Amino acid sequence: MFASLDPNTFLHGACVRRAAVGIGGFSIAISLEIARPDLEQQIEHLYGVYPRHDPDALPDVTISLRPQNRTPMLFRPAIRVFANDEAPYQAVPERWALPVLEATINWFVWSYVARVLLLHAAVVELDGRAVILSGPTGAGKSTLCAALIARRFRFLTDEIALVTLNDGHLQPHPRPISLKNDAIDIVAKMLPDAHLSDRFSNAAKGTVAFMRPPRQSIEAAGEPARPALVIFPTYEPKAGFELKPIERSQAFMRLIESSANYLTLLATGFETLANLVEACDHYSLHYGSLDDAVGAIESLARVSRGIPKVA
Amino acid sequence: MIARRLVPSDLSSYALTKELAREQCWRMIEGLKWRCWEGDYVVFNPLSGHTHFLDIVAGQILTLLMAGSCTASVLRSSLSRFLEVPDDDKLAATADDILMRLEAAGLVERLD
């Protein structure tokens, strides 16, 4: 996946290694300006199956991983991740490069993508109908996504839903799925063939690991999906199960809150979101059991908008 | 605007204020975008860039103004029929309050 640039191109004392992949309408170049074969391997593990982007064409963004001088706060070798020469996060120890790489790609999409309405949501699809899982961090979106993948849903995104402005369809953005704490083992058990990254432990965030999306989802990244169902999940350990329909106006206002660029899109944002809301059924889901939640979503996905249940 | 300038210092001026408020003409701001779902309204104001959530009563006033400008008394009568309640002082106070809120949100304006 990675290739060296011109053998004479050395930055920071290391030969620059570079890879470019296409991810659902975006081209992302990853430039390693640090000699860390293990890191290269980690990235390749997650992104190796993505379609390669023409290395000579200009990518939408170049993500560069550069060494940083040691600071009093970071006694070990540090790294900083840049998106087109802007670094949204502080330098971190080298072993944290992968999570910060993922966070930086997310930051780029949130900050610079203007041709779509951006919602903080996960999206999966079944039989041509997209299910949007909208909720704050910790609501269980990624775990639900992984569990729905195990039920043969197609994965579109676990973090950033991209709604195209002209037709309101959901554009896939199948990046590695971010799993935290107990969810890592739950998913590893549920999907024994899943490609999981190393685990990254941090006192503030707990343990994080990334799951490579299924190959079929990556290959279908050019195929948008039609929105059909919006679920607002809330996970609470040992909680019961409650599924309630919610009115479209309420769903609309909640989705505005989850959007990164609704305000900047003005009337186009209003029309795009209103059309999406009108096309969908909306539910709030409070759950403590993953099986209950997945079963409910699967049933709703099959019957939403009166489409007959598929045997 | 006249109603705002008058101070109800005595009964006669208070009555005049009410009368003028009743005859105050209102219109909807141009270019609003809205949807109505299950009786609730969401309205986008292109001048402010804000999106507003309106209940059925405020939404009904906006719907009436969509057809064209009209006076507060006409709005009140229409609202009375829509809600099936008497056209009395209580309804007048409610309608005035909603109009003030819609005005503050930049969704409607007074016609001088």
Side-chain angles (χ1 to χ4, degrees), chain A residues 161-191:
Chain A
L162 311 175
V163 187
T164 49
L165 301 179
N166 56 345
D167 61 12
H169 287 177
L170 288 146
Q171 181 183 321
H173 184 60
R175 296 252 313 289
I177 301 168
S178 171
L179 301 167
K180 296 181 189 75
N181 302 321
D182 294 345
I184 302 169
D185 286 330
I186 292 170
V187 170
K189 194 173 167 189
M190 197 164 27
L191 292 162

Side-chain angles (χ1 to χ4, degrees), chain A residues 48-107:
Chain A
V49 298
Y50 283 73
R52 304 291 156 82
H53 181 68
D54 178 359
D56 294 327
L58 194 65
D60 289 316
V61 61
T62 298
I63 305 290
S64 309
L65 292 86
R66 301 174 185 164
Q68 290 287 293
N69 291 333
R70 296 174 193 200
T71 67
M73 294 296 289
L74 297 167
F75 299 107
R76 282 168 289 191
I79 198 166
R80 196 147 191 215
V81 185
F82 292 77
N84 291 342
D85 289 328
E86 276 189 89
Y89 301 101
Q90 296 297 311
V92 293
E94 283 184 358
R95 64 190 168 81
W96 268 85
L98 189 66
V100 178
L101 167 79
E102 285 301 308
T104 304
I105 297 175
N106 283 345
W107 173 84

Side-chain angles (χ1 to χ4, degrees), chain A residues 248-249 262 271 275 278, chain B residues 33 35 37-38 40 44 51:
Chain A
R248 283 180 283 186
S249 52
Y262 171 83
E271 293 287 359
N275 289 340
E278 285 182 345
Chain B
K33 292 186 176 294
R35 300 290 171 101
W37 296 309
E38 294 96 27
D40 292 330
F44 176 76
T51 303

Side-chain angles (χ1 to χ4, degrees), chain A residues 257-270:
Chain A
E257 287 172 20
S258 82
S259 175
N261 65 344
Y262 171 83
L263 291 176
T264 59
L265 292 172
L266 300 171
T268 307
F270 178 87

Side-chain angles (χ1 to χ4, degrees), chain A residues 196-223:
Chain A
L196 288 168
S197 73
D198 293 344
R199 298 179 186 215
F200 303 90
S201 294
N202 170 285
K205 292 189 175 179
T207 303
V208 179
F210 298 93
M211 179 185 128
R212 196 195 76 193
R215 187 183 287 267
Q216 306 91 299
S217 298
I218 295 168
E219 288 170 354
E223 298 168 22

